[in-house]
Amino acid sequence: MADDADVIVVGGGLAGLVAATEIADAGKRVIVVDQEGEQSLGGQAFWSFGGLFLVDSPEQRRLGIKDSFDLALQDWMGTAGFDRDEDLWPRKWAEAYVAFAAGEKRGWLRAMGHRIFPVVGWAERGGYDAMGHGNSVPRFHVTWGTGPGIVEPFERRAREAAKTGKLTFKFRHRVDALSVTNGAVNGVSGAILEPTGVERGQSSSRKVVGEFMLRAQAVIVASGGIGGNHDLVRENWPKRLGEPPNFMISGVPEHVDGRMIGITEAAGGRLINRDRMWHYVEGIQNWSPIWPRHGIRILPGPSSMWFDATGRRLPAPLFPGSDTLGQLNYIMSTGYDYSWFILTQSIIKKEFALSGSEQNPDLTGKSWRMTIKRATNKGAPAPVEAFKSKGADFIVRDNLGDLVEAMNKLAGSDLLKLDHIKAQIEARDREIENPYVKDAQVMNLHNARRYIGDKLIRTAKPHRILDPAHGPLIAVKLNILTRKTLGGFETDLDSRVFGNDGKIIGGLYAAGEAAGFGGGGVHGYRSLEGTFLGGCLFSGRNAGRAAAKAVG
């Protein structure tokens, strides 16, 4: 029987599109199968903020940021904390990826029309020593056009390849099994689902209307992670982070279900580091949800005061934007699965951004006029103001007593004591007028404002929280937001999947989140941010090029 294509790619997200376009460019025939409809092409990348980790970029240099491969690798390794036998290939992927981010990544994307917002963000700032977790310098480059802007070049290339017959899309094709002959993967089979007209991100029908079987010399699994499947998240939850949260919201649609990970594992693929995962602690319930339990992450600047459910301020250096998993570990150790921001209108105006393409119409729509208003408007960006007025997790009051009373009411408890909260805020406020202080968060504010990008658009001028001139007061109840799977299928640098016997499985490749963004866990335990899309780009490119070469 003749093959239906040279290579089959399972998943039409960013990693799958990158792999498929590389295969088509090499002159090979490729089929992309996806259980969702055509309207969901691009997967999770479409919904993203479009952040990319770049090293020593022109954007950094223009802002006076001194970066280098050595500094970035130091930060990556200090953040990853590789400490397992299984980390052999993830470590190799990390070194290769940082070299890619410091080398051809920006030029490769730029040649396809990709552009970058000129102000570089500073994510995951750490706060430990130089060899510990965090970015020593700003490296978070936002795509001009956010998530859709990173998807567009590859979708365009894919559709051009489809016109020439090199690439075929098969939407609503749900893979249920990999075909294995003589130890090598040579196809997929599964169910054809009924057509769907739901909007991108909404839950689609699972009604089966047919079956299919496709053959090829190679299969690339690029099916994403498990973030939309809370049962799997809880099943794989690491003991080092305590018990899984009772209440979680979803940063990804329901179809990010992990099915294909189990199917590939059943075919012999070796899954490693499955207990490593990346969930955010600044999640808020979407007042206008697209998918079930739809949550949005606040991208906070460094000024909000952060309290746990009992009203204790989070310890240094667990400030907003510093150490996501350190914050998650601390919050879960309290016995509660939520925490609180307390801030002012002056802070929310300058420091609050919301992750996601749909929450940033100015950047997504590539409107300089709208983007400039972030710095000149009296209020916060419109999507933030919408959450402030309509979001279930936001409270706005004119005085601290009323604010704390409303916080307790929202939480359904009396855990928060006004005197305790007030004492901590007043102590912080006494430190704010001096340029030299002992409060580590206030030190962090001064450090942030030494970077021109933060001073211009990301960090409010230091002021007293209880100063009425900067009011009203705002409290935000923060929930655990599921997002990324950091472990995945163990692969070599050609994205070839290892079997449980330690040998490469013929014909089987994995890319993107299903491969831990490279190697089975390129991030180790933690991420530096801006690295998920980049991991999809790098692993998808490696997989596509290697598969195209292997099929002859």
Side-chain angles (χ1 to χ4, degrees), residues 13 47 93 95 99 111 159 170 193 266 269 297 343 387 436 471 474 491 519:
W47 296 107
W93 272 89
E95 293 170 352
R159 294 196 183 280
K170 290 190 178 292
L193 306 178
R297 184 208 174 190
L343 59 148
F387 267 89
Y436 38 88
I474 302 163
T491 67

Side-chain angles (χ1 to χ4, degrees), residues 285-303:
Q285 300 171 80
N286 196 336
W287 62 271
S288 180
I290 298 171
W291 53 79
R293 301 173 291 199
H294 188 177
I296 296 293
R297 184 208 174 190
I298 296 171
L299 299 172
S303 300

Side-chain angles (χ1 to χ4, degrees), residues 47-51 140 142-143 146-147 299 353-357 360 363 374:
W47 296 107
S48 74
F49 198 39
F140 191 84
V142 176
T143 297
T146 67
L299 299 172
L354 300 173
S355 184
S357 55
N360 294 275
L363 296 169
R374 288 186 180 230

Side-chain angles (χ1 to χ4, degrees), residues 178 261-272 274 489-490 497-500 505 508:
L178 297 177
I261 292 176
I263 289 164
T264 306
E265 190 175 19
R270 185 184 185 213
L271 190 63
I272 60 174
R274 70 179 77 209
F489 289 105
E490 184 180 35
V497 177
F498 288 93
N500 290 317
I505 298 176
L508 182 60

